[in-house]
Amino acid sequence: MLMDRARIVTLIPHGDSMCMLDEIIRWDETRIHGRSHNLAASTNPLFEDGQLDSVLLIEYGAQAAAVHAALLHSKLGESRPAYIGAVKDVELFTAMADNSTALDLYLECLLSSSQGAIYELVAQQADKLLLRGRLILSQPG
């Protein structure tokens, strides 16, 4: 593990209660691999009625992208908040995430600037693909 949850919280604007990531496994100039261990935590605001809808994994991916942008010192989100501007080409391979298995998020940055970024996202548990799509992060002027 390269980075734990306490360090991740300092890199995203969400604060501790909304941080979905538990660790960053690896990262480089174009990619980041994040992990979440406890999807069913009572403190997880996205976990409802004993389940986590797989479409909500987009938020997990957006947080990993925010960490990546911070690590790159891209200034995305620095002077004003960055938002999910769009989600494209999303494929859901299951309706619900498995609450007992760690979630792995793999993101590749395709484009980054001070106005936004485009990330390719893959979310999986063990060898099971849950979601694939593209995140477009926007930092409006």
Side-chain angles (χ1 to χ4, degrees):
M1 169 180 57
L2 290 178
M3 185 180 309
D4 65 8
R5 187 175 199 285
R7 173 85 167 102
I8 292 167
V9 167
T10 68
L11 296 175
I12 61 173
H14 300 77
D16 189 41
S17 65
M18 188 58 189
C19 179
M20 302 290 109
L21 302 174
D22 292 310
E23 61 182 314
I24 299 301
I25 305 299
R26 70 177 75 67
W27 74 278
D28 61 28
E29 292 294 316
T30 58
R31 292 179 174 81
I32 190 164
H33 173 192
R35 185 172 288 152
S36 182
H37 291 284
N38 195 357
L39 303 181
S42 61
T43 56
N44 183 346
L46 302 179
F47 185 74
E48 291 186 354
D49 299 325
Q51 58 193 15
L52 180 69
D53 292 334
S54 60
V55 72
L56 296 174
L57 300 178
I58 292 167
E59 174 61 27
Y60 286 74
Q63 288 189 21
V67 170
H68 190 251
L71 291 169
L72 290 175
H73 306 291
S74 72
K75 302 201 183 303
L76 181 63
E78 189 172 290
S79 60
R80 57 198 185 279
Y83 302 96
I84 298 174
V87 181
K88 303 279 187 172
D89 303 322
V90 173
E91 296 177 82
L92 297 173
F93 297 95
T94 185
M96 302 294 165
D98 179 352
N99 302 326
S100 64
T101 305
L103 170 69
D104 285 293
L105 302 147
Y106 300 94
L107 288 90
E108 179 178 4
C109 183
L110 305 176
L111 175 72
S112 181
S113 75
S114 61
Q115 286 79 41
I118 300 173
Y119 280 89
E120 214 40 71
L121 162 65
V122 172
Q124 67 183 54
Q125 291 179 304
D127 292 328
K128 182 179 179 185
L129 185 59
L130 304 178
L131 177 145
R132 181 174 40 221
R134 187 168 290 161
L135 296 173
I136 300 168
L137 304 179
S138 175
Q139 186 171 7

